[in-house]
Tab-separated table of all heavy atoms in Angstrom:
chain	number	residue	atom	x	y	z
A	1	SER	N	88.825	-17.060	54.436
A	1	SER	CA	88.581	-17.962	53.291
A	1	SER	C	87.898	-17.240	52.144
A	1	SER	O	87.073	-16.472	52.322
A	1	SER	CB	87.643	-19.105	53.713
A	1	SER	OG	87.130	-19.783	52.614
A	2	ASN	N	88.209	-17.555	50.924
A	2	ASN	CA	87.678	-16.960	49.767
A	2	ASN	C	86.710	-18.091	49.037
A	2	ASN	O	86.426	-17.938	47.983
A	2	ASN	CB	88.704	-16.572	48.746
A	2	ASN	CG	89.295	-15.236	49.225
A	2	ASN	OD1	88.708	-14.485	49.907
A	2	ASN	ND2	90.727	-15.080	48.920
A	3	GLN	N	86.364	-19.034	49.738
A	3	GLN	CA	85.515	-20.112	49.179
A	3	GLN	C	84.163	-19.607	48.868
A	3	GLN	O	83.541	-18.974	49.884
A	3	GLN	CB	85.456	-21.412	50.080
A	3	GLN	CG	86.756	-22.132	50.287
A	3	GLN	CD	87.428	-22.572	48.975
A	3	GLN	OE1	86.648	-23.237	48.202
A	3	GLN	NE2	88.596	-22.219	48.787
A	4	PRO	N	83.514	-19.792	47.667
A	4	PRO	CA	82.130	-19.269	47.386
A	4	PRO	C	81.176	-20.166	48.055
A	4	PRO	O	81.439	-21.362	48.270
A	4	PRO	CB	82.023	-19.330	45.810
A	4	PRO	CG	83.112	-20.503	45.444
A	4	PRO	CD	84.200	-20.427	46.467
A	5	ALA	N	80.058	-19.573	48.239
A	5	ALA	CA	78.892	-20.368	48.778
A	5	ALA	C	78.320	-20.989	47.554
A	5	ALA	O	78.239	-20.618	46.506
A	5	ALA	CB	77.765	-19.427	49.382
A	6	HIS	N	77.759	-22.286	47.784
A	6	HIS	CA	77.294	-23.117	46.676
A	6	HIS	C	75.722	-23.288	46.834
A	6	HIS	O	75.309	-23.612	47.885
A	6	HIS	CB	77.917	-24.463	46.622
A	6	HIS	CG	79.411	-24.426	46.303
A	6	HIS	ND1	79.864	-24.114	45.082
A	6	HIS	CD2	80.453	-24.499	47.103
A	6	HIS	CE1	81.159	-24.167	45.173
A	6	HIS	NE2	81.597	-24.334	46.368
A	7	ALA	N	75.061	-23.006	45.849
A	7	ALA	CA	73.580	-23.149	45.838
A	7	ALA	C	73.318	-24.575	45.795
A	7	ALA	O	74.085	-25.380	45.247
A	7	ALA	CB	72.902	-22.390	44.735
A	8	THR	N	72.139	-24.904	46.257
A	8	THR	CA	71.666	-26.318	46.379
A	8	THR	C	70.842	-26.790	45.201
A	8	THR	O	70.625	-28.016	45.181
A	8	THR	CB	71.000	-26.648	47.816
A	8	THR	OG1	69.932	-25.826	47.853
A	8	THR	CG2	72.019	-26.371	48.874
A	9	ARG	N	70.237	-25.917	44.527
A	9	ARG	CA	69.286	-26.321	43.463
A	9	ARG	C	69.551	-25.761	42.172
A	9	ARG	O	69.040	-24.756	41.679
A	9	ARG	CB	67.881	-25.829	43.848
A	9	ARG	CG	67.311	-26.481	45.003
A	9	ARG	CD	65.901	-26.201	45.215
A	9	ARG	NE	65.324	-26.772	46.319
A	9	ARG	CZ	64.098	-26.657	46.711
A	9	ARG	NH1	63.143	-26.012	45.946
A	9	ARG	NH2	63.596	-27.175	47.761
A	10	PRO	N	70.508	-26.335	41.313
A	10	PRO	CA	70.766	-25.801	40.050
A	10	PRO	C	69.388	-25.882	39.108
A	10	PRO	O	68.708	-26.829	39.206
A	10	PRO	CB	71.803	-26.734	39.526
A	10	PRO	CG	72.517	-27.316	40.683
A	10	PRO	CD	71.478	-27.368	41.720
A	11	ALA	N	69.229	-24.942	38.265
A	11	ALA	CA	68.050	-24.932	37.513
A	11	ALA	C	68.487	-25.018	35.993
A	11	ALA	O	69.711	-24.835	35.705
A	11	ALA	CB	67.238	-23.743	37.634
A	12	ALA	N	67.675	-25.357	35.128
A	12	ALA	CA	68.036	-25.364	33.662
A	12	ALA	C	68.553	-23.885	33.293
A	12	ALA	O	68.069	-22.904	33.724
A	12	ALA	CB	66.815	-25.630	32.878
A	13	ALA	N	69.427	-23.811	32.288
A	13	ALA	CA	69.887	-22.570	31.808
A	13	ALA	C	68.759	-21.717	31.157
A	13	ALA	O	67.787	-22.284	30.653
A	13	ALA	CB	71.046	-22.832	30.710
A	14	VAL	N	68.971	-20.433	31.204
A	14	VAL	CA	67.964	-19.542	30.675
A	14	VAL	C	68.572	-18.672	29.590
A	14	VAL	O	69.807	-18.667	29.480
A	14	VAL	CB	67.339	-18.611	31.831
A	14	VAL	CG1	66.490	-19.513	32.672
A	14	VAL	CG2	68.341	-17.889	32.550
A	15	ALA	N	67.673	-17.909	28.855
A	15	ALA	CA	68.204	-17.017	27.833
A	15	ALA	C	69.239	-15.903	28.551
A	15	ALA	O	68.995	-15.693	29.630
A	15	ALA	CB	66.971	-16.397	27.197
A	16	SER	N	69.978	-15.361	27.698
A	16	SER	CA	70.883	-14.430	28.188
A	16	SER	C	70.095	-13.211	28.919
A	16	SER	O	69.082	-12.802	28.464
A	16	SER	CB	71.610	-13.717	26.920
A	16	SER	OG	72.198	-12.488	27.359
A	17	PRO	N	70.483	-12.888	30.145
A	17	PRO	CA	69.806	-11.946	30.983
A	17	PRO	C	69.638	-10.608	30.185
A	17	PRO	O	68.617	-9.975	30.266
A	17	PRO	CB	70.725	-11.724	32.200
A	17	PRO	CG	71.491	-12.899	32.310
A	17	PRO	CD	71.606	-13.388	30.966
A	18	ALA	N	70.725	-10.160	29.517
A	18	ALA	CA	70.655	-8.902	28.730
A	18	ALA	C	69.543	-8.856	27.717
A	18	ALA	O	68.966	-7.861	27.438
A	18	ALA	CB	72.026	-8.688	28.065
A	19	ALA	N	69.248	-10.021	27.211
A	19	ALA	CA	68.181	-10.010	26.097
A	19	ALA	C	66.833	-9.996	26.680
A	19	ALA	O	65.869	-9.669	26.069
A	19	ALA	CB	68.356	-11.436	25.292
A	20	THR	N	66.644	-10.365	27.943
A	20	THR	CA	65.270	-10.442	28.591
A	20	THR	C	64.924	-9.261	29.458
A	20	THR	O	63.809	-9.118	29.790
A	20	THR	CB	65.052	-11.670	29.330
A	20	THR	OG1	66.041	-11.818	30.366
A	20	THR	CG2	65.247	-12.987	28.433
A	21	VAL	N	65.999	-8.552	30.015
A	21	VAL	CA	65.849	-7.531	30.978
A	21	VAL	C	65.170	-6.260	30.363
A	21	VAL	O	64.237	-5.538	31.082
A	21	VAL	CB	67.135	-7.116	31.541
A	21	VAL	CG1	67.070	-6.024	32.451
A	21	VAL	CG2	67.525	-8.339	32.456
A	22	SER	N	65.405	-5.880	29.241
A	22	SER	CA	65.093	-4.429	28.705
A	22	SER	C	63.635	-4.087	28.772
A	22	SER	O	63.285	-2.990	28.944
A	22	SER	CB	65.636	-4.253	27.281
A	22	SER	OG	64.955	-5.234	26.424
A	23	THR	N	62.701	-5.073	28.458
A	23	THR	CA	61.252	-4.719	28.543
A	23	THR	C	60.505	-5.117	29.816
A	23	THR	O	59.333	-5.076	29.934
A	23	THR	CB	60.616	-5.328	27.313
A	23	THR	OG1	60.751	-6.804	27.364
A	23	THR	CG2	61.213	-4.864	25.995
A	24	ARG	N	61.278	-5.564	30.762
A	24	ARG	CA	60.644	-6.061	31.885
A	24	ARG	C	60.755	-5.111	33.085
A	24	ARG	O	61.596	-4.249	33.074
A	24	ARG	CB	61.462	-7.344	32.398
A	24	ARG	CG	61.295	-8.522	31.342
A	24	ARG	CD	62.137	-9.606	31.797
A	24	ARG	NE	61.596	-10.446	32.937
A	24	ARG	CZ	62.210	-11.467	33.320
A	24	ARG	NH1	63.304	-11.916	32.773
A	24	ARG	NH2	61.769	-12.111	34.384
A	25	PRO	N	59.806	-5.177	34.032
A	25	PRO	CA	59.916	-4.291	35.200
A	25	PRO	C	61.150	-4.635	35.966
A	25	PRO	O	61.667	-5.725	35.841
A	25	PRO	CB	58.647	-4.651	36.067
A	25	PRO	CG	57.999	-5.789	35.493
A	25	PRO	CD	58.741	-6.133	34.142
A	26	THR	N	61.608	-3.722	36.797
A	26	THR	CA	62.764	-3.867	37.562
A	26	THR	C	62.487	-3.981	39.092
A	26	THR	O	61.392	-3.640	39.518
A	26	THR	CB	63.862	-2.820	37.335
A	26	THR	OG1	63.316	-1.566	37.700
A	26	THR	CG2	64.425	-2.810	35.899
A	27	GLU	N	63.462	-4.371	39.959
A	27	GLU	CA	63.293	-4.425	41.331
A	27	GLU	C	63.314	-3.074	42.083
A	27	GLU	O	63.841	-2.126	41.482
A	27	GLU	CB	64.334	-5.439	41.850
A	27	GLU	CG	65.713	-4.802	42.210
A	27	GLU	CD	66.545	-4.457	40.998
A	27	GLU	OE1	66.123	-4.587	39.799
A	27	GLU	OE2	67.690	-4.066	41.175
A	28	THR	N	62.890	-3.064	43.268
A	28	THR	CA	63.116	-1.855	44.133
A	28	THR	C	63.739	-2.287	45.380
A	28	THR	O	63.481	-3.467	45.906
A	28	THR	CB	61.739	-1.011	44.424
A	28	THR	OG1	60.797	-2.022	45.096
A	28	THR	CG2	61.049	-0.525	43.178
A	29	LEU	N	64.599	-1.420	45.934
A	29	LEU	CA	65.272	-1.775	47.204
A	29	LEU	C	64.759	-0.746	48.352
A	29	LEU	O	64.851	0.495	48.045
A	29	LEU	CB	66.809	-1.743	47.038
A	29	LEU	CG	67.526	-2.033	48.256
A	29	LEU	CD1	68.851	-2.787	47.704
A	29	LEU	CD2	68.079	-0.859	48.973
A	30	LYS	N	64.199	-1.226	49.334
A	30	LYS	CA	63.835	-0.436	50.505
A	30	LYS	C	64.746	-0.771	51.730
A	30	LYS	O	64.682	-1.783	52.337
A	30	LYS	CB	62.371	-0.836	50.908
A	30	LYS	CG	61.857	0.024	52.015
A	30	LYS	CD	60.506	-0.471	52.334
A	30	LYS	CE	60.040	0.263	53.788
A	30	LYS	NZ	58.751	-0.263	54.126
A	31	PRO	N	65.670	0.192	52.076
A	31	PRO	CA	66.563	0.081	53.286
A	31	PRO	C	65.804	-0.054	54.542
A	31	PRO	O	64.712	0.596	54.687
A	31	PRO	CB	67.302	1.233	53.101
A	31	PRO	CG	67.253	1.757	51.964
A	31	PRO	CD	65.927	1.423	51.298
A	32	LEU	N	66.138	-1.013	55.362
A	32	LEU	CA	65.494	-1.139	56.717
A	32	LEU	C	66.416	-0.650	57.714
A	32	LEU	O	66.012	0.023	58.699
A	32	LEU	CB	65.318	-2.678	56.891
A	32	LEU	CG	64.389	-3.347	55.942
A	32	LEU	CD1	64.275	-4.882	56.231
A	32	LEU	CD2	62.916	-2.796	56.079
A	33	LEU	N	67.748	-0.982	57.811
A	33	LEU	CA	68.655	-0.590	58.772
A	33	LEU	C	70.040	-0.492	58.177
A	33	LEU	O	70.495	-1.245	57.394
A	33	LEU	CB	68.650	-1.703	59.862
A	33	LEU	CG	69.703	-1.510	60.988
A	33	LEU	CD1	69.420	-0.419	61.893
A	33	LEU	CD2	69.871	-2.822	61.786
A	34	GLN	N	70.749	0.611	58.638
A	34	GLN	CA	72.059	0.709	58.239
A	34	GLN	C	72.814	1.131	59.577
A	34	GLN	O	72.510	2.019	60.113
A	34	GLN	CB	72.260	1.807	57.164
A	34	GLN	CG	73.701	1.856	56.705
A	34	GLN	CD	73.700	2.756	55.351
A	34	GLN	OE1	73.253	3.859	55.268
A	34	GLN	NE2	74.272	2.045	54.349
A	35	GLN	N	73.915	0.342	59.890
A	35	GLN	CA	74.631	0.470	61.130
A	35	GLN	C	76.014	0.154	60.947
A	35	GLN	O	76.369	-0.922	60.444
A	35	GLN	CB	73.940	-0.443	62.165
A	35	GLN	CG	74.734	-0.512	63.409
A	35	GLN	CD	74.490	0.648	64.236
A	35	GLN	OE1	73.367	1.088	64.405
A	35	GLN	NE2	75.653	1.332	64.819
A	36	ALA	N	76.924	1.156	61.342
A	36	ALA	CA	78.374	0.756	61.246
A	36	ALA	C	78.516	-0.390	62.373
A	36	ALA	O	77.915	-0.345	63.366
A	36	ALA	CB	79.161	2.051	61.724
A	37	LEU	N	79.376	-1.273	62.015
A	37	LEU	CA	79.839	-2.335	62.830
A	37	LEU	C	80.750	-1.937	63.981
A	37	LEU	O	81.857	-1.509	63.577
A	37	LEU	CB	80.404	-3.562	61.990
A	37	LEU	CG	79.396	-4.212	61.011
A	37	LEU	CD1	80.039	-5.327	60.340
A	37	LEU	CD2	78.158	-4.959	61.835
A	38	PRO	N	80.362	-1.965	65.157
A	38	PRO	CA	81.297	-1.401	66.130
A	38	PRO	C	82.579	-2.149	66.316
A	38	PRO	O	83.641	-1.598	66.807
A	38	PRO	CB	80.465	-1.263	67.421
A	38	PRO	CG	79.441	-2.362	67.159
A	38	PRO	CD	79.219	-2.397	65.682
A	39	ASN	N	82.559	-3.407	66.056
A	39	ASN	CA	83.788	-4.304	66.206
A	39	ASN	C	84.596	-4.589	64.955
A	39	ASN	O	85.459	-5.295	64.995
A	39	ASN	CB	83.436	-5.539	66.980
A	39	ASN	CG	82.360	-6.340	66.132
A	39	ASN	OD1	81.829	-5.958	65.304
A	39	ASN	ND2	82.261	-7.611	66.522
A	40	VAL	N	84.165	-3.928	63.836
A	40	VAL	CA	84.840	-4.113	62.558
A	40	VAL	C	85.028	-2.793	61.939
A	40	VAL	O	84.097	-2.297	61.201
A	40	VAL	CB	84.077	-5.148	61.656
A	40	VAL	CG1	84.860	-5.439	60.344
A	40	VAL	CG2	83.695	-6.392	62.376
A	41	LYS	N	86.106	-2.289	62.169
A	41	LYS	CA	86.370	-0.775	61.692
A	41	LYS	C	86.290	-0.751	60.099
A	41	LYS	O	86.797	-1.579	59.463
A	41	LYS	CB	87.802	-0.337	62.092
A	41	LYS	CG	88.071	1.031	61.711
A	41	LYS	CD	89.465	1.598	62.220
A	41	LYS	CE	89.695	2.960	61.824
A	41	LYS	NZ	90.741	3.628	62.295
A	42	GLY	N	85.453	0.312	59.651
A	42	GLY	CA	85.387	0.514	58.333
A	42	GLY	C	84.257	-0.231	57.626
A	42	GLY	O	84.193	-0.243	56.411
A	43	LYS	N	83.611	-1.025	58.428
A	43	LYS	CA	82.534	-1.885	57.868
A	43	LYS	C	81.122	-1.514	58.240
A	43	LYS	O	80.885	-1.034	59.505
A	43	LYS	CB	82.691	-3.460	58.093
A	43	LYS	CG	83.923	-3.945	57.560
A	43	LYS	CD	83.807	-4.107	56.035
A	43	LYS	CE	85.106	-4.882	55.517
A	43	LYS	NZ	85.126	-4.939	54.070
């Protein structure tokens, strides 16, 4: 299936993300676990 997941709480529209991102702090990603899936080749 290619059906997208639907969120349950739409919010009001916000300003263009590109216009607000440049002067704001950004996120950091800390990996916890990375494991090849033994029953799904290549994943």
Side-chain angles (χ1 to χ4, degrees):
S1 173
N2 287 330
Q3 294 301 314
H6 297 285
T8 57
R9 291 190 186 185
V14 295
S16 165
T20 59
V21 170
S22 61
T23 59
R24 297 173 71 176
T26 60
E27 83 286 6
T28 57
L29 184 142
K30 178 183 173 187
L32 299 173
L33 172 72
Q34 189 168 48
Q35 173 74 48
L37 292 175
N39 60 342
V40 186
K41 186 177 178 172
K43 297 289 183 181

